[in-house]
Amino acid sequence: LVLKHNTTGNKDQIIGTGAGGIQVQSALVEIRNANASEVLGKFVDGGAVELYHNNVKKIETTAAGVSVTGDLQVSSHIDIPDNAVVKIGTGDDLQLKHNATDSIIVNATGELNLDSDVLKIQGAAGSEVMASFAKDGAVELYHDNVKKVETLATGAKVTGALEITGDLVVLGDQIVANVAELMVEDKSLFLAVP
């Protein structure tokens, strides 16, 4: 074991020269700043490892895992295995999970709101739109990446055939049909103007 002062960089050094490394034994190991006014880290026998920033505890190991006080900033991503759950809220009210087959969002209280000026639901590759919702604009539904239903300022538009398996009720003062052909198969068509 070598204790020395390194004049390059003005550092005091503890250097372990043995093959077994350096071992510190104590019921409590505490690392402090130069004038001992701030805790930098604590290692408690049978308990927590604590890391501090500006004398405030930020990371602590617990029997359940790790506790972080403040923001957790990740530069790449968080990797969570299948069947693990991300729990959000005091009562774990919002949960995100993946069971190796399906991805699941569980909201156990209130509403689940998605706030965006434009919201698109796409296939996993991101190349096919299934639905699109625009603020102050259209709601669009797609089939095989082709728009089939959209809302308009005046109502709604269907591109292609509209199949109705139940009753069709038309309310309004007038019924306008601007089509060359109106087909009704195996059903009766009744149009009544109030």
Side-chain angles (χ1 to χ4, degrees):
L1 180 67
V2 176
L3 299 174
K4 74 175 192 174
H5 178 76
N6 187 337
T7 55
T8 306
N10 198 26
K11 297 177 185 175
D12 293 323
Q13 295 177 312
I14 301 172
I15 302 170
T17 57
I22 298 175
Q23 187 177 62
V24 178
Q25 289 181 283
S26 176
L28 172 66
V29 174
E30 192 173 82
I31 301 172
R32 292 185 161 265
N33 65 349
N35 64 10
S37 64
E38 290 188 8
V39 176
L40 304 176
K42 283 185 186 178
F43 303 83
V44 181
D45 182 25
V49 172
E50 302 172 357
L51 299 178
Y52 291 72
H53 177 81
N54 198 22
N55 211 34
V56 176
K57 183 170 41 175
K58 294 296 183 177
I59 297 176
E60 175 182 14
T61 61
T62 67
V66 177
S67 177
V68 177
T69 301
D71 294 342
L72 178 63
Q73 298 178 5
V74 180
S75 63
S76 177
H77 64 279
I78 297 174
D79 196 352
I80 299 173
D82 289 340
N83 299 311
V85 180
V86 175
K87 297 178 180 180
I88 302 169
T90 303
D92 299 335
D93 301 323
L94 178 62
Q95 298 184 6
L96 308 173
K97 50 189 167 180
H98 181 74
N99 63 14
T101 304
D102 300 312
S103 297
I104 303 158
I105 299 173
V106 177
N107 182 48
T109 184
E111 298 177 349
L112 176 63
N113 296 310
L114 303 175
D115 296 340
S116 177
D117 287 344
V118 177
L119 175 65
K120 286 189 178 181
I121 300 174
Q122 298 178 304
S127 59
E128 283 199 21
V129 177
M130 294 183 279
S132 177
F133 308 84
K135 177 187 172 197
D136 299 328
V139 172
E140 301 171 345
L141 302 177
Y142 291 73
H143 177 82
D144 198 18
N145 210 33
V146 176
K147 184 172 30 175
K148 294 297 182 178
V149 178
E150 65 182 301
T151 61
L152 308 168
T154 56
K157 175 182 175 182
V158 175
T159 301
L162 176 63
E163 181 178 321
I164 300 171
T165 58
D167 295 334
L168 172 63
V169 178
V170 180
L171 302 174
D173 294 335
Q174 61 180 349
I175 298 171
V176 178
N178 257 346
V179 294
E181 183 177 302
L182 180 62
M183 284 192 338
V184 179
E185 295 180 6
D186 300 328
K187 300 285 182 187
S188 298
L189 176 64
F190 298 98
L191 299 176
V193 179

